[in-house]
Amino acid sequence: MADKKKETGFYSPPESKDTWENVKHFFYDPKEGKIFGRTGPSWAKIGLFYLIFYAILASLFGIMLWIFYHTLDPRVPRWQLTESLIGQNPGLGFRPFPNDSETRSSLIWYQGKSRQSCKLWTDTLEKFLEVYRKPGLTPGRGQNIYNCDYDRPPGKGQVCDVDVKNWYPCTAENNFNYHLSSPCVFIKLNKIYGWQPEFFNDTRELPEKMPEDLKNLISVQKSINPELLKTVWVSCEGESPLDRENIGDIQYIPRQGFPGYFYPYMNTEGYLSPLIAVHFKRPKTGIIINVECRAWAKNLKVDRREKIGTVHFELLID
């Protein structure tokens, strides 16, 4: 019986093949009609399975993505103010930024008599202000722009104009006055969706820490037109008594604050943040002056460490 099984090949060893033969046999087996180890019907079954599997997977992903995008508004954030990560207290920013961005320096330093040294800063300011000078660079700004005022707030879909071209001496044509050792620094309030400032409408409620010259300005503005009090006021001064002595006179252009008609920020197409040009008329040269600018509103918390409501930079003119 054992001999018969041996004769029929039941215990016969597999046919010996070299490596190249095994490779060819894997690609195509003529005896069983297999390609890469599978027959045609086997490939059809597994191909149909994966086709259906990935089609269902892609459909589920597409449906979830469609649901996700339909729960979001491209212009309105889901989480706002206290519910958002950035909170409800905007910070202040300044321009021009120092060129040494790696060290995150806040020192504005140049040689007053060096045109090349001034140019490094004026070029930075020109690039920053380009979107303000050319409305067409900001999508939607051209047709939505409106000449706002305290008695002419913007309508729905309109954005207020920021006419930096007429802010002499803080203009590009005048090199922002850097060549006269009397530089201009631009201040802006960061955008927070839906934030509405609470204004100091009552001069009797002004904070004790507010500079006296700003308090006097607010009183004068109230006597001219109470509507002018709807402003987020800004003050810049030296941080220490020595800095305040060296900083000299300061001029704010076009006014010492951000008009209330720019708020709330609702992500309207073409919107640009309001700016203030801070003109340091005659700062002392050859010494570092520490400058702090602060925004003033009832609901604006100020935190130096977290850089909320305030900004710090240094000024050095050789």
Side-chain angles (χ1 to χ4, degrees):
M1 185 69 177
D3 293 340
K4 187 176 181 180
K5 288 182 178 180
K6 189 172 182 180
E7 289 175 3
T8 59
F10 188 79
Y11 293 109
S12 62
E15 183 180 353
S16 178
K17 298 179 181 179
D18 59 19
T19 303
W20 176 241
E21 288 293 328
N22 285 328
V23 171
K24 291 194 299 181
H25 186 268
F26 171 73
F27 281 106
Y28 177 67
D29 184 356
K31 291 182 179 180
E32 300 185 18
K34 293 181 177 180
I35 300 175
F36 296 112
R38 289 184 180 273
T39 61
S42 176
W43 276 116
K45 291 177 183 178
I46 195 170
L48 181 62
F49 167 78
Y50 278 109
L51 179 65
I52 296 173
F53 173 75
Y54 284 116
I56 294 174
L57 196 65
S59 300
L60 289 174
F61 176 77
I63 291 171
M64 293 298 104
L65 197 63
W66 181 84
I67 294 174
F68 173 74
Y69 276 114
H70 276 72
T71 60
L72 298 178
D73 190 312
R75 292 196 171 276
V76 181
R78 178 183 289 274
W79 311 112
Q80 302 176 19
L81 300 176
T82 56
E83 296 179 345
S84 67
L85 292 176
I86 59 176
Q88 61 178 348
N89 289 286
L92 278 177
F94 75 95
R95 296 291 189 281
F97 275 146
N99 296 321
D100 189 4
S101 58
E102 294 182 0
T103 60
R104 296 184 180 181
S105 171
S106 57
L107 174 63
I108 300 175
W109 169 79
Y110 70 98
Q111 294 176 326
K113 295 182 180 180
S114 171
R115 288 281 181 175
Q116 184 61 32
S117 180
C118 294
K119 192 174 186 300
L120 295 174
W121 299 99
T122 56
D123 285 351
T124 302
L125 277 178
E126 283 193 48
K127 184 177 180 180
F128 168 67
L129 296 174
E130 191 174 16
V131 291
Y132 290 89
R133 292 166 57 88
K134 302 176 182 178
L137 296 178
T138 305
R141 184 167 177 82
Q143 63 268 25
N144 295 339
I145 202 166
Y146 178 70
N147 189 19
C148 304
D149 206 339
Y150 287 91
D151 57 352
R152 295 194 309 272
K156 185 177 181 181
Q158 293 179 325
V159 294
C160 296
D161 188 20
V162 184
D163 188 11
V164 298
K165 297 178 183 178
N166 298 320
W167 291 5
Y168 186 86
C170 301
T171 60
E173 294 75 15
N174 192 49
N175 296 315
F176 304 102
N177 233 42
Y178 275 70
H179 62 297
L180 298 178
S181 300
S182 180
C184 296
V185 177
F186 286 75
I187 304 295
K188 69 182 187 71
L189 194 63
N190 296 336
K191 295 180 290 189
I192 293 184
Y193 187 92
W195 181 72
Q196 177 64 57
E198 296 178 6
F199 308 110
F200 289 107
N201 293 323
D202 190 345
T203 54
R204 294 172 299 181
E205 297 179 355
L206 299 179
E208 292 184 6
K209 294 183 179 180
M210 180 180 284
E212 288 300 322
D213 58 343
L214 180 55
K215 290 181 180 180
N216 295 332
L217 173 66
I218 294 174
S219 299
V220 171
Q221 296 296 300
K222 182 179 180 180
S223 63
I224 297 173
N225 183 359
E227 288 295 313
L228 298 177
L229 297 185
K230 296 179 179 179
T231 301
V232 180
W233 304 103
V234 172
S235 63
C236 294
E237 59 183 1
E239 288 193 344
S240 69
L242 183 59
D243 293 321
R244 287 191 283 273
E245 181 180 339
N246 294 329
I247 200 170
D249 292 334
I250 296 175
Q251 178 187 8
Y252 301 89
I253 306 171
R255 59 180 61 84
Q256 195 172 344
F258 305 108
Y261 50 74
F262 279 95
Y263 305 98
Y265 164 66
M266 304 303 290
N267 199 19
T268 305
E269 189 176 29
Y271 179 92
L272 290 177
S273 297
L275 298 175
I276 296 175
V278 182
H279 176 212
F280 297 91
K281 290 186 173 182
R282 192 55 59 190
K284 189 172 183 179
T285 59
I287 188 171
I288 294 179
I289 304 172
N290 294 282
V291 183
E292 181 183 63
C293 293
R294 173 176 174 173
W296 299 88
K298 287 183 179 180
N299 59 338
L300 181 55
K301 175 185 175 183
V302 174
D303 190 324
R304 289 182 177 179
R305 180 175 297 180
E306 297 296 330
K307 297 181 180 179
I308 296 175
T310 183
V311 68
H312 165 90
F313 58 91
E314 303 91 35
L315 187 62
L316 173 58
I317 305 172
D318 282 342

